[in-house]
Amino acid sequence: NVQGTQNILEACRAWGVERFVNISTDKAVNPISVLGYTKRLGEQLTAGMAERTEGIYLSVRFGNVLGSRGSVLTTFRGQIAAGGPVTVTHPRVTRYFMTVEEAVELVIQAGAVGRDGEVLVLDMGEPVRISEVASQMVAASGRDIDIVYTGLRPGEKLREELFDDCDLDGRRQAHPQISAVTVPSLRPDQLGDLPQVCSAIAIRTHLAELCQRRLAPSLEAAVSLFEAPIVVDDVVGL
């Protein structure tokens, strides 16, 4: 995520791209996972490019997109079709959801109303409790299927947030349903040498330092599960 985003930013700079919209995620807000840290760095690199080149360079934070390949609804449908059980990490876990149409419109609106270096955030309403989604889908199937709680995984939150503690200068209302915030910028030379093969805790620590964050104590304890050396590509989705 970090190196790929930087490569695309540099290519767009070379090609003289007029408007660049980086797709981020609500996991970049107060991140604690590898995915969250790398997407946060993507926002900061995009803000850094906005300071160094012409054109409009900005980011957009997405929640969970309903119906996408990675959507929990797709997972639940597959589990129900297989006869269950339907797995939920925690009975109180919540997530923000947006439709495909909202996601597409947000990217288009961002290119129109976003300012250089900003991060745009869609008003996604109230977060949805995943256990309720699972219960409704099981009930709609008409089948007797169990719901099993598996526990939060390392780097996973009970609830996602839309705005970060380090977002600068408050919020700007860029659109009736879109807020804009400013994030600290980051230059490529500030990245240093990203580790390619090392332990998960080393990767998380390095990324957290780049984001000027501390690893959550609970996460430091949890990563003992990942003692073996791991290639970066294997942990990006954790």
Side-chain angles (χ1 to χ4, degrees):
N1 277 336
V2 178
Q3 293 171 327
T5 300
Q6 182 55 36
N7 288 341
I8 295 172
L9 284 166
E10 292 294 348
C12 289
R13 179 188 187 186
W15 292 334
V17 167
E18 294 181 5
R19 290 183 183 270
F20 177 95
V21 180
N22 169 51
I23 304 301
S24 189
T25 168
D26 52 11
K27 290 179 174 59
V29 177
N30 297 318
I32 62 170
S33 66
V34 168
L35 175 59
Y37 284 127
T38 58
K39 296 300 278 186
R40 179 68 179 187
L41 289 169
E43 291 182 356
Q44 294 181 237
L45 286 168
T46 301
M49 181 59 77
E51 296 175 348
R52 298 187 295 117
T53 191
E54 296 180 358
I56 304 297
Y57 284 71
L58 52 90
S59 298
V60 177
R61 285 182 191 153
F62 276 20
N64 293 274
V65 180
L66 294 169
S68 64
R69 270 193 311 180
S71 171
V72 68
L73 300 189
T74 304
T75 300
F76 286 170
R77 287 193 192 102
Q79 292 175 335
I80 290 170
V86 171
T87 57
V88 179
T89 55
H90 192 283
R92 290 191 290 111
V93 71
T94 63
R95 292 292 182 267
Y96 288 99
F97 286 95
M98 59 196 306
T99 65
V100 173
E101 291 78 11
E102 287 174 326
V104 172
E105 183 176 357
L106 177 57
V107 174
I108 296 172
Q109 291 281 4
V113 304
R115 296 175 182 171
D116 216 14
E118 286 185 331
V119 177
L120 275 70
V121 185
L122 177 70
D123 178 1
M124 288 180 277
E126 294 299 317
V128 177
R129 185 167 291 195
I130 302 301
S131 60
E132 294 178 0
V133 175
S135 297
Q136 291 172 7
M137 292 184 67
V138 169
S141 73
R143 305 175 67 180
D144 185 14
I145 293 176
D146 291 332
I147 295 176
V148 176
Y149 295 102
T150 58
L152 292 175
R153 293 165 292 186
E156 191 169 28
K157 299 178 181 178
L158 263 181
R159 60 189 62 83
E160 299 288 0
E161 305 161 271
L162 296 179
F163 299 97
D164 191 281
D165 293 341
C166 294
D167 289 341
L168 305 178
D169 301 328
R171 305 178 196 174
R172 178 178 74 87
Q173 204 66 31
H175 178 275
Q177 289 186 299
I178 301 176
S179 297
V181 297
T182 305
V183 299
S185 62
L186 186 69
R187 300 187 313 272
D189 62 333
Q190 293 174 300
L191 286 175
D193 295 324
L194 293 172
Q196 297 301 310
V197 179
C198 59
S199 69
I201 185 63
I203 293 172
R204 284 182 171 87
T205 300
H206 185 78
L207 294 173
E209 289 172 351
L210 287 174
C211 292
Q212 299 182 335
R213 307 282 180 166
R214 288 187 65 254
L215 285 172
S218 59
L219 181 58
E220 289 185 340
V223 293
S224 62
L225 297 170
F226 302 96
E227 290 297 337
I230 299 175
V231 179
V232 168
D233 287 349
D234 294 336
V235 299
V236 164
L238 290 179

